[in-house]
Amino acid sequence: MKNYEEISDEELKSLTTAIKKRYGIDFTNYELRSLKRGFGRLISRNNLDSLLSLWGLILKDREFFMSCIDELTVNLTELFRNNDIWQTLKEEVKERYGKSTSLKYWHAGCSTG
């Protein structure tokens, strides 16, 4: 597989569902392009020829899969890295509390940054 874009959305959904059932790790809500790039890198770095080959290896070898987690997860520790979510939140808060003079909020830290 030369390009991560060759991975279809359906293949990705099936694989992430299988991973969730097998290992209890949920990638089903990850951004598709990012996850496809991660699986594409794993295919390339392990000299595999297809997503199906990677799939078989992931599901039969827990140790291999656990060693791949960093390749699949987002390791950026920046609060505002996903601008779309913050824009949506801003719009919803403005709509609901637009006339308020102040808001108090709490953000639970969930990373190293």
Side-chain angles (χ1 to χ4, degrees):
M1 176 171 285
K2 296 182 180 7
N3 191 334
Y4 72 88
E5 292 171 345
E6 294 176 24
I7 300 171
S8 73
D9 291 351
E10 293 80 17
E11 289 172 317
L12 189 65
K13 182 178 179 182
S14 294
L15 177 55
T16 56
T17 299
I19 289 170
K20 184 177 177 183
K21 286 181 181 176
R22 176 99 171 150
Y23 299 114
I25 297 174
D26 189 358
F27 290 106
T28 58
N29 290 314
Y30 268 58
E31 197 270 327
L32 295 179
R33 282 189 330 184
S34 177
L35 203 50
K36 285 180 182 183
R37 280 192 305 269
F39 282 118
R41 283 190 302 270
L42 287 172
I43 291 166
S44 178
R45 289 185 181 159
N46 290 284
N47 297 316
L48 301 169
D49 59 355
S50 68
L51 183 65
L52 187 57
S53 299
L54 178 64
W55 187 325
L57 190 55
I58 284 173
L59 294 182
K60 77 174 185 178
D61 188 343
R62 179 181 180 82
E63 192 172 311
F64 170 78
F65 175 64
M66 293 303 161
S67 73
C68 298
I69 296 290
D70 279 344
E71 195 69 50
L72 298 172
T73 57
V74 176
N75 294 311
L76 181 63
T77 59
E78 183 179 322
L79 180 61
F80 298 107
R81 77 171 178 265
N82 190 336
N83 192 43
D84 293 342
I85 290 172
W86 293 103
Q87 276 304 121
T88 301
L89 182 61
K90 177 183 174 183
E91 292 166 13
E92 289 179 8
V93 168
K94 273 178 98 173
E95 182 179 311
R96 189 169 193 182
Y97 302 103
K99 297 186 191 278
S100 296
T101 57
S102 70
L103 290 173
K104 292 182 181 182
Y105 59 92
W106 174 71
H107 178 274
C110 59
S111 193
T112 61

